[in-house]
Amino acid sequence: MNHFLDIHKTDKAALRGIIDTARRVKEARLGRPKAMPDDDLPLKDRMVALIFEKPSTRTRVSFDLGVRQMGGQTMVLSGSDMQLGHGETIADTARVLSRYVDMIMIRTFDEAVLEEMAEFASVPVINGLTDRSHPCQIMADVMTFEEHRGPIAGKKVVWCGDGNNVCSSFLHAAGQFGFDFTFTGPVQLDPEMEFVGLARNQGARVTIERDPLKAVEGADLVVADTWVSMHDAQSARERRHNMLRPYQVDKRLMEHAKPDALFMHCLPAHREEEVTSEVMDGPNSVIWDEAENRLHAQKAIMRWCVGG
């Protein structure tokens, strides 16, 4: 049994194996030379609980579909259904769910909820997102980059905007996969220094550059994310927009990166805010491949969790 809680908490060899498996899963799904037999159903007769304390489109659809494609069934539970931590402890909820299901994916706010769930569950637990990290997304992003440009090791990834949970997982991945990472954004929204230090200690070159045009020079990949959360008040939204407007990814910014630099966004995107439609729909954008690869990467993660 393996938990998939964060990229920096997972063995490098296991991460590489997951990426390789994801590519084979995708090839088989697309009807290309079969990398896996049709009867290879690692979740056959298994039940997976999908817990959502936060709303979701891609995470919910991709995990639900992935479980079904591997022969399993899903039970989708919302935070209001379960009221995690209100009355019954997270630990007791984990113990009870472990008696009913074979795997738990949880998308929650507080990282401590994920960690407690994993500590007391006797089945694999997968991090579908917390306020601090989003590892499944970055596994799909690494897979997408390598599909288009080959190994990501030694490449330059530039994050534009807010040093949020997705940015944190990119820093985790920089150390584990061996690529350089540059953050460009306002000082108030810098990524967690703990994670910057973690990546540097693993040999990754991590740079913070306030000038976005300088930051993207020589970039192989430019990444953006939404500037505001659905939970932010209007006044907070306005402040964040004012801070982040200089870091919008537009055609001019992309022209300062390498000519073949890719653009990614984990979606949903607010067009003409953090990125222009010209970039999102342009030749360097791989956002739709990135979204699709959530399915394949998560199927590979679930296979690894059950020892497949």
Side-chain angles (χ1 to χ4, degrees):
M1 184 189 78
N2 298 304
H3 297 310
F4 187 77
L5 303 182
D6 268 315
I7 288 173
H8 66 298
K9 297 176 181 177
T10 307
D11 181 75
K12 289 183 181 182
L15 293 170
R16 175 49 58 191
I18 289 169
I19 296 293
D20 292 343
T21 297
R23 295 191 69 168
R24 293 197 300 272
V25 166
K26 184 175 184 178
E27 291 292 306
R29 186 70 187 164
L30 294 175
R32 292 171 184 166
K34 293 282 185 178
M36 294 181 179
D38 291 331
D39 61 354
D40 181 28
L41 299 173
L43 297 184
K44 182 175 174 57
D45 299 325
R46 301 198 193 205
M47 177 65 71
V48 180
L50 307 178
I51 302 173
F52 294 94
E53 288 199 289
K54 285 189 172 188
S56 170
T57 299
R58 276 149 294 277
T59 299
R60 177 167 178 166
V61 173
S62 56
F63 266 108
D64 197 345
L65 182 58
V67 172
R68 294 166 189 262
Q69 287 180 355
M70 293 193 291
Q73 299 183 60
T74 60
M75 177 184 297
V76 181
L77 301 167
S78 71
S80 59
D81 291 332
M82 304 185 67
Q83 297 185 335
L84 278 171
H86 299 285
E88 184 174 64
T89 66
I90 303 299
D92 287 350
T93 298
R95 293 182 178 107
V96 170
L97 283 178
S98 297
R99 299 297 182 100
Y100 297 146
V101 304
D102 302 287
M103 187 185 302
I104 299 168
M105 188 289 302
I106 181 168
R107 182 180 177 95
T108 187
F109 294 90
D110 191 347
E111 182 183 49
V113 173
L114 168 75
E115 292 175 344
E116 189 171 353
M117 183 73 72
E119 180 180 355
F120 291 96
S122 56
V123 298
V125 174
I126 297 173
N127 178 0
L129 176 143
T130 72
D131 285 345
R132 286 193 90 194
S133 65
H134 196 2
C136 291
Q137 178 65 58
I138 274 51
M139 293 297 285
D141 292 355
V142 171
M143 175 186 176
T144 305
F145 182 89
E146 295 194 341
E147 279 184 332
H148 289 268
R149 296 290 184 265
I152 197 169
K155 302 298 184 181
K156 179 179 178 179
V157 176
V158 178
W159 179 274
C160 297
D162 177 9
N164 62 13
N165 52 354
V166 185
C167 179
S168 293
S169 285
F170 256 116
L171 281 165
H172 299 161
Q176 296 287 63
F177 287 99
F179 57 84
D180 297 335
F181 186 85
T182 297
F183 171 83
T184 185
V187 65
Q188 301 95 320
L189 299 176
D190 273 355
E192 291 192 45
M193 288 301 105
E194 174 188 341
F195 298 150
V196 171
L198 183 71
R200 286 173 174 166
N201 288 340
Q202 289 185 293
R205 182 182 303 166
V206 180
T207 304
I208 295 179
E209 171 58 64
R210 302 298 171 201
D211 184 337
L213 296 182
K214 289 182 180 178
V216 300
E217 290 177 0
D220 298 284
L221 171 62
V222 178
V223 191
D225 197 1
T226 56
W227 288 349
V228 296
S229 165
M230 65 186 73
H231 307 287
D232 289 338
Q234 184 60 38
S235 58
R237 289 169 180 258
E238 291 173 1
R239 287 196 303 272
R240 290 173 70 85
H241 274 85
N242 290 336
M243 282 193 293
L244 288 162
R245 195 165 287 115
Y247 300 96
Q248 181 190 68
V249 180
D250 57 14
K251 182 180 179 183
R252 176 170 173 260
L253 186 75
M254 290 298 295
E255 286 174 345
H256 281 73
K258 287 184 178 178
D260 64 345
L262 299 178
F263 171 75
M264 290 188 192
H265 190 302
C266 66
L267 303 176
H270 296 81
R271 290 173 179 258
E272 313 311 325
E273 291 186 11
E274 68 270 11
V275 59
T276 62
S277 291
E278 186 175 24
V279 171
M280 280 186 68
D281 301 325
N284 297 76
S285 173
V286 291
I287 59 174
W288 311 122
D289 291 341
E290 180 187 7
E292 177 191 344
N293 285 341
R294 285 290 301 279
L295 170 65
H296 309 304
Q298 287 161 186
K299 287 170 71 175
I301 289 167
M302 288 187 282
R303 283 176 176 271
W304 176 75
C305 285
V306 297

